[in-house]
Each structure stands twice: as C-alpha cells, then as structure tokens.
C-alpha cells in the first residue's frame, strides 16, 4: 500500500496543518511517511504545495514523481490545477470551491470549476461554508481533509486521534470543533459523489 | 531511544542536543532556521543550559561557536548557504586553527533558489577549507551524522561541515534517537597557541591540516557512511550523493534497476570506493544536488580514464534542484506524457501580507521619488524585497545582506542623487551598520530607510537584534540627530510620511528614516497568544 498526496493552496491557508494531521494519523497506523513542506518566501501569499507520501514500506524520494500522485488535495480551486502534471491517470482531485484572490489576473471561477470537472475522479466542496456553519471559519482546511479522508487508507478513528493530537494544546473546544468540521467535510464529499 | 516525526532540520537539532552540544549559534535563514528554533523551544535544551540565542550575523555566530570549541565544549553553527559567504573568514581560518571541543558547521543549501538569491554549493567551501563534509540523504542519516560529525571533529581536531539542501531541511519523516552523551567539561586547548594564526604559527597549523587530508580520505573510505551496493547491470555505475540517492532509489524500485551504486554521504571522496565502481562499470552517472563537484573531480582537468556523465554533459540540467523524473531521464527511462497545467492557471508569486508596514513605506517612497524618476532605490534581503514586484516596482537592487546602504553610497559617489537605501531592521544590524559608518565618515548624500518591523520577518518572525536600538546605533555611528527621522507607516499618515521623505531626499549628507511598525504576522501571533492565555 502506498498513497502519494499533493497538498496545495496559498501561503497561510493552513496546508501544513492538513499535512500534520495526516502525518499523525499515519504514525498512529505505524505507516512510513515522508512529507516535503515549503517554508520561506512562498509562504507570503504565494502558491504553496506539500508532497506527502505514506506507505507500508519505506519511502524513497521526498518528492512525488510527476504522474504518480494518487490524490491532489487543495484548499484553493485554481491551485488544485497547478499540480495536474503530478496526478496519475486514475488519481483523485479534491478541492475547495472558495477562491483565494490575491492577484489581479485571477481567472473566471466557473472556468476553473469546469477544468476541475474534466477530471474523472474529482470532488468539489465549499469547505469555507462548511467551516463557518460548524462555527469555525478558520477550520476550512479540516473540512477539505475530511472530504478527502475516505480516499486515504487510514481509518476514520485514526484520523480523529491525529486531529486530536494536533489541536490538543489549544483546548478541548478546538479539538471538538475541528473534528466536527472534519466529519462535515467527509459527509459533503459522499453527498457530492452520490449527487 | 525515542521515535520522532522530524523535519531534517529538527533531526539535526535533536541530534546535537543528544550528542552533548553545549551551544548553537546562528542567524535565521531559509532553509536552516528551524534547527536553531528547535533548540530554542526544547525544554531539554533549556534544562541542560544549552546556548541558543540568535547571533547578529553568521560571522559572529561562527566565531562564537569557535570560541565555545576553544573552551573545550561542543558547538554547532547553522546558516543558509549564502550565510557562509558572510562567515567565510572565520570558517576558512577555523580549518587552520582546528578545534578543541567538537564543532559542526551546518549549512543548508537552496538549489532552485526557493528562497534565495543564488544556489551556490557549500561542498566547495568544505573542499576549499580542506575539511570533511557530511551530506545525509534522509532525516535518520541527518540525525546519525550529527553524532558521527562530533566524533569525527574531536578525533581529528577539525571542524566538520554538515551540508543539507532544502528538501531535506523541510521534509518530515520518522527518526529514532540514540543514547545521549554528556556535554564536555570546560577545558582549555592543550597547546595555548593553537588558535593564534600569526604567520609563523599559521604555517605550522596549515601543514597539520594538509597532513590530515589522507586521514580524512581514509575515513571516507572506511567509516561506512559511503556505501558500495553491488549490481548486476555493469553498463553504468551510479554515484549518488546525499538526497539524490532517494531519487535514484525511487526509480530503482519502480523500474527494477540493478546498477552498481556508490552512495556518498561523506567527503573528501572515498578514493578506493570510487576506483572500485569505476573499474567495474563502463561509465559513471553522477547524481548530485547542487554544482557538479563530484563530476568535475572525476573528470579531471584533461583526460580522465573514465566515462563520466552528469550535469556537465547534459545528462542532467546544469542548474536547479533534482527530482525523480530528471533522474529517470538521465537513466534513459521512457516516461509517459504528463497532463498539462490548464492555460487559465495564473502565476501566484509571494506578496506582502495584507496590512504589512513595508507596503506603506513603498507607497510613500514611490510618491516622494516620482519627481526624480525611477532607478535610484537600492534594497536588501528580506520581506521588503517583495517591493520589487507589481504594483510597487519600488526597488532596483537586492544583492546581499547590507548591500543596500553601500550600493547607494557607491551610486551617490558616482553622482546619482538622490540615492536611497531600503533595509530591514534585522538586516541592518546583520550587515548594514558598517556600511552606514562609511557613508557617515564621508558625509555621502544618501537616504537610508530602515523599514523596522521589529522582527526577522521572512524567516518566520525571529527576534531582531535591532529592536529598540536603532536610534542609539545610528547616533553612535555619527548620523546627525536632526537627520534621524521617524515615521509611522500607516495609510493615515501617508502625506506626512511623503513630506518627511522629501525633506530628507534634499539633505546633503546622510539621512536615516526609521519607519517603525510591527510585522502584521508577529503582532497577530502575539495577539492570539494573549487572548488564548486570557481564556485559560
């Protein structure tokens, strides 16, 4: 078993927390993992990505080769398309519909969605709305993680304990809130697929 | 023994704590920053009294680490690749003095320049200084090589370089720790003249360093850090250095390759192992992150008996970071076409955070300078370098730490008036102060704007040595009090700020304008921490 995931978004959107949550859950499951992060200049509102590889055997490269990613998980719709060369032909693209517009030439959103819909295996959810409805606007990244969670071979409960570990020092309320958003994202994805 | 999930940087930090280090010295720089930060945040390091405060720059850091080594204790100094240029003087000479307590110089290179102005390869510095270089290929090796590095350093009384690159610095994986070692006791060098590089003594020290070279090489052959892995397909021998080994391994597994392989984690190059793989194979393919150092060494200047492929003959690109696909191509593996990025995807370069003080500084400066025309703003290294991008297009140079002030001075000397320097607070205390002294001594007409956000912003908000001291420093260097001006870079003071800048642009002599407002990121973080505390 090996799952290669590209996480994408804009600097400051919290993709490192998603990576940390998956990483924690993978460790709970005694899986091997490598996760390449982007720090430094790009974190200032630029395009950011993280390569996350989990496997039941040792992982070689820190970077996922082009054409080998099983999943692109994006907190921003245009950013999800930037990494298409990495997606394998049967791979999944899971993206937030909420655009992060900090550039003048941001394309038409509908055109972005239609590019995403061209990919056979895709899930589009409004993670920001899900997070707001659950009462925590800052937790949209956990909604997206929830939406993609059924595509990652880690059990629901291991995800929960991973998220718990990450938010534990911020208090039980934060843990509960993030777990709730995670589950709501997971449900939104299954609703999307059975639409 | 404990299991951790570590960034490469964090593995190095924990290893140094476990290996009995007494102090770490550094100036923040991507991708090396997290090493020192880890030690600063480590409860264990605090309990053990390990020094971890930031230094003013990489040179002061290197010298302090050498001083700690002089006193018999183990030290580490960390920096990004270009930081080693700043610290090159003590670095080269520490190779001559040798060490007392073990000393590791950790340098994080940034191939592909993710967050840097060049992609220089620090292994050349190691070779230049004639000291051993260790280059781990994963987080566990990074951890282990720190332990080994201190042993090697103390065994041969030499500083040791640990070279990593961005992908290892910022990639996370499982690491198992080792038994902890005690710190060294305070102990003077046996020879109290060891560190005195008077020419007569330095010549002797240099001979000692030269004599050590064969020991270093023998150690590279026998330490076990460089591994020969046999293979049946003798058409090509692979020499994979550091991280490049992972990319080869990725291809080896998915394409069932079976070439003889020499994995390099320690320099100088292991002569015997290289001769072995070269003599057993028809050609060598060199996989190395950075410059073609190994490839050049093996090719020799004129005729090498071996056929050597790598970055120089076009098998791999001459510049940029390696990845598994580039290595597949160099191995002649045919890969299917990859999906293209849809055309509508636009570039999203980094930008100032919303509400950043630097942006208000540039808006005011641009208006003040409009009457003089473009091309007269020299800037520096930091978040404010983003002023180069639209919509600001406000600066004309970014070369190295501190160069804004001195380049403005040179341009003013040449007759470009007004000439403006824009420098951050932390960069100013890193390398700007000496240049300002030059300008003060000659009364050069330059306007220096210190955009003071009271932190080292680009690397994530580390403490700035300048905070609360800028006025005194400028006064101390001799800038006239009337021409040390302050402005508050907020939109509501925009017109007032333009007025202050305009007045100083007209001043014949050195002006310093300190534009002080806290970084929006550190201010936000502080606010969140405070409200979090209140809730508790």
């Amino acid at each position: 078993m090996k799952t290669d995931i590209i996480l994408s978004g804009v600097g400051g959107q919290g993709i490192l927390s998603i990576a940390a949550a998956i990483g924690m859950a993978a460790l709970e499951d005694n899986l091997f993992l490598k996760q390449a992060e982007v720090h430094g200049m790009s974190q200032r509102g630029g395009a950011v990505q993280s390569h996350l590889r989990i496997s039941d055997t040792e992982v070689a490269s820190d970077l996922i080769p082009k054409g080998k990613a099983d999943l692109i998980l994006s907190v921003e719709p245009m950013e999800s398309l930037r990494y298409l060369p990495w997606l394998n032909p049967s791979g999944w693209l899971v993206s937030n519909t909420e655009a992060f517009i900090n550039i003048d030439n941001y394309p038409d959103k509908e055109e972005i969605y239609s590019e995403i819909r061209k990919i056979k295996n895709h899930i589009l959810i409004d993670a920001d709305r899900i997070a707001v409805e659950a009462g925590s606007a800052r937790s949209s990244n956990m909604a997206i993680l929830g939406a993609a969670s059924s595509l990652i071979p880690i059990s629901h409960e291991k995800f929960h304990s991973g998220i718990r570990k990450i938010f534990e020092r911020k208090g039980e309320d934060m843990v509960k809130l993030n777990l709730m958003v995670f589950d709501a994202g997971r449900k939104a994805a299954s609703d999307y697929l059975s639409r | 023994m404990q299991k951790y999930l570590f960034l490469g940087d964090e593995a190095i930090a924990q290893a140094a704590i476990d290996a009995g280090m007494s102090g770490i010295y550094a100036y923040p720089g991507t991708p090396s920053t997290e090493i020192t930060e880890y030690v600063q945040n480590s409860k264990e390091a605090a309990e053990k009294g390990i020094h971890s405060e930031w230094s003013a720059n990489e040179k002061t850091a290197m010298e302090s680490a050498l001083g700690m080594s002089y006193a018999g204790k183990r030290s580490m100094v960390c920096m990004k690749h270009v930081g080693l240029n700043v610290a090159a003087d003590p670095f080269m000479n520490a190779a001559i003095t040798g060490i007392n307590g073990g000393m590791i110089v950790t340098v994080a290179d940034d191939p592909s320049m993710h967050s840097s102005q060049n992609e220089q390869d620090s292994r050349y510095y190691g070779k230049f200084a004639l000291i051993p270089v260790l280059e781990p290929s994963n987080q566990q090796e990074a951890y282990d090589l720190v332990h080994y590095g201190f042993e090697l350093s103390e065994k041969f009384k030499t500083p040791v370089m640990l070279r990593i690159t961005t992908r290892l610095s910022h990639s996370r994986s499982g690491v198992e720790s080792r038994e902890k070692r005690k710190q060294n006791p305070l102990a003077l060098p046996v020879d109290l003249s060891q560190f005195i590089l008077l020419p007569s003594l330095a010549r002797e020290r240099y001979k000692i360093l030269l004599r050590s070279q064969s020991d270093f090489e023998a150690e590279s052959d026998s330490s076990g850090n460089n591994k020969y892995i046999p293979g049946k397909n003798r058409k090509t021998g692979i020499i994979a250095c550091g991280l490049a080994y992972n990319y080869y391994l990725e291809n080896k597994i998915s394409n069932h390759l079976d070439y003889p392989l020499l994995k390099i984690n320690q320099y100088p190059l292991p002569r015997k192992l290289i001769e072995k793989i070269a003599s057993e194979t028809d050609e060598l393919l060199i996989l190395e992150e950075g410059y073609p150092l190994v490839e050049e060494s093996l090719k020799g200047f004129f005729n090498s008996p071996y056929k050597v492929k790598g970055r120089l003959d076009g098998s791999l690109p001459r510049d940029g970071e390696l990845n598994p696909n580039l290595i597949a191509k160099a191995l002649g593996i045919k890969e299917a076409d990859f999906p293209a990025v849809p055309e509508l995807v636009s570039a999203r370069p980094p930008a100032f955070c919303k509400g950043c003080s630097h942006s208000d500084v540039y808006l005011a400066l641009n208006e003040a300078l409009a009457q003089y025309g473009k091309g007269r703003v020299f800037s520096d290294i930091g978040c404010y370098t983003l002023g180069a991008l639209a919509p600001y297009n406000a600066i004309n140079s970014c070369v190295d730490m501190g160069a804004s002030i001195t380049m403005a001075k040179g341009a003013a000397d040449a007759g470009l008036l007004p000439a403006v320097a824009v420098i951050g607070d932390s960069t100013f205390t890193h390398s700007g102060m000496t240049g300002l002294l030059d300008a003060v001594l000659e009364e050069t007409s330059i306007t220096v704007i210190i955009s003071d956000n009271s932190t080292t912003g680009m690397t994530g908000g580390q403490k700035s040595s300048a905070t609360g001291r800028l006025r005194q420093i400028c006064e101390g260097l001799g800038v006239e009090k009337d021409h040390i001006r302050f402005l508050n870079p907020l939109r509501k003071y925009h017109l007032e700020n333009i007025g202050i800048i305009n007045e100083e642009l007209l001043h014949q002599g050195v002006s310093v304008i300190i534009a002080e407002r806290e970084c929006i990121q550190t201010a936000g973080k502080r606010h969140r921490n405070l409200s979090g505390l209140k809730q508790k």
Side-chain angles (χ1 to χ4, degrees), chain B residues 315-326:
Chain B
S315 300
L316 289 161
R318 178 63 180 79
D319 64 338
E321 191 181 20
L322 296 175
N323 62 49
N325 302 98
L326 288 173

Side-chain angles (χ1 to χ4, degrees), chain B residues 425 452 454 464-473 516:
Chain B
D425 50 311
D452 175 12
S454 309
S464 162
S465 310
T467 303
R469 291 190 183 83
L470 286 172
R471 180 202 291 268
Q472 293 96 311
I473 291 171
E516 185 190 329

Side-chain angles (χ1 to χ4, degrees), chain B residues 68-88:
Chain B
M68 182 168 271
S69 163
Y70 173 93
K73 301 204 175 189
R74 295 188 194 103
S75 65
M76 179 179 276
V77 53
C78 305
M79 66 207 71
K80 67 184 294 173
H81 57 334
V82 286
L84 186 50
N85 297 332
V86 178

Side-chain angles (χ1 to χ4, degrees), chain B residues 233-305:
Chain B
N233 186 347
R234 297 193 165 191
K235 188 179 134 317
T236 305
I238 311 289
I239 297 183
C241 310
L243 199 70
Y245 167 75
N246 302 353
Y247 301 145
Y248 172 71
L249 192 60
E250 183 76 22
N251 280 289
K252 178 184 154 94
I253 295 166
S254 46
N255 297 289
H256 312 288
L257 306 177
D258 193 17
Y259 297 113
L261 171 74
L262 179 56
K263 176 174 181 275
I264 300 285
N265 294 120
Q266 183 174 355
Y267 308 81
L269 286 172
R271 193 177 295 265
K272 285 183 189 150
L273 290 171
I274 291 208
E275 279 170 357
K276 178 175 165 63
I277 191 166
S279 64
E280 287 178 359
T281 52
D282 300 341
E283 59 174 28
L284 294 172
L285 175 63
I286 317 298
L287 309 176
E288 52 192 324
E289 196 77 290
Y291 289 7
L293 175 133
V294 175
E295 190 181 357
E296 271 181 351
S297 313
L298 298 190
K299 272 193 165 132
F301 197 73
F302 290 112
N303 282 321
S304 163

